[in-house]
Amino acid sequence: EFKRFTKFAIVGAIGFIIDAGTVNGLLKLGVFDGATLTLPLGIVTITEVGIVGALGFTFAVSSNFVWNRYWTYPDSRSKRIGGQLVTFFFVNLIGLLIRIPILEGLSRPFGRLVEAVVPAIGPDPAAWLGVNAALVLAVIVVMFWNFFVNRYWTYNDIE
């Protein structure tokens, strides 16, 4: 299992590069500046940080599925790809539901912390560092969720 977890972590690192690149690229381009998404009944409002975080996550999960199916768990291909893909995306959707509150809830406090500790940095770089600190934390938390649930549900046909 340690070897599989190591491969899973390497795949996750590739996914993180895709994820962080997407998040930072979209934030830099300002594609979603000021955008918000309010879920039904007004329970939750997601800002541009959550929106670009969801997009980066989706691109990374797509890459991760391919790498995990063919490299981390090559012996899991006894299952049909369609069913395995649905299961993988469902598990990762729950991971996304774990991730967005971390991004939304910690990006600004982390940015304020950076600005308080290093006032010369300025508000924009501090906010950027805050988003990326929250992103790293969210990725770590969700990685453990994804590994254990995917290992014992999505890829449960291997020994």
Side-chain angles (χ1 to χ4, degrees):
E1 287 306 308
F2 180 77
K3 184 178 178 182
R4 280 197 182 103
F5 183 78
T6 301
K7 286 183 173 184
F8 192 86
I10 291 168
V11 168
I14 294 167
F16 179 75
I17 292 167
I18 293 168
D19 187 357
T22 301
V23 168
N24 285 289
L26 290 173
L27 287 174
K28 183 72 173 169
L29 291 172
V31 175
F32 294 99
D33 278 355
T36 59
L37 175 65
T38 303
L39 298 181
L41 305 175
I43 297 171
V44 176
T45 298
I46 301 170
T47 66
E48 67 271 9
V49 171
I51 294 168
V52 299
L55 290 171
F57 186 83
T58 302
F59 295 147
V61 165
S62 300
S63 169
N64 290 358
F65 175 76
V66 172
W67 281 104
N68 281 320
R69 180 169 168 87
Y70 293 100
W71 185 53
T72 308
Y73 302 105
D75 42 348
S76 75
R77 288 179 276 167
S78 65
K79 286 186 172 182
R80 297 182 60 158
I81 191 169
Q84 202 171 44
L85 180 64
V86 168
T87 304
F88 188 82
F89 268 88
F90 179 74
V91 169
N92 283 279
L93 178 62
I94 294 170
L96 180 62
L97 295 175
I98 296 167
R99 171 194 170 110
I100 288 177
I102 294 170
L103 284 173
E104 290 285 346
L106 296 178
S107 292
R108 286 183 188 88
F110 282 170
R112 286 192 297 271
L113 178 63
V114 169
E115 194 170 10
V117 172
V118 188
I121 198 169
D124 289 341
W128 178 81
L129 287 170
V131 168
N132 281 280
L135 179 62
V136 167
L137 179 61
V139 165
I140 291 168
V141 169
V142 173
M143 178 182 71
F144 285 100
W145 158 262
N146 284 345
F147 175 74
F148 288 108
V149 176
N150 276 309
R151 170 61 183 98
Y152 295 105
W153 188 23
T154 309
Y155 303 110
N156 65 358
D157 59 330
I158 60 172
E159 300 196 18

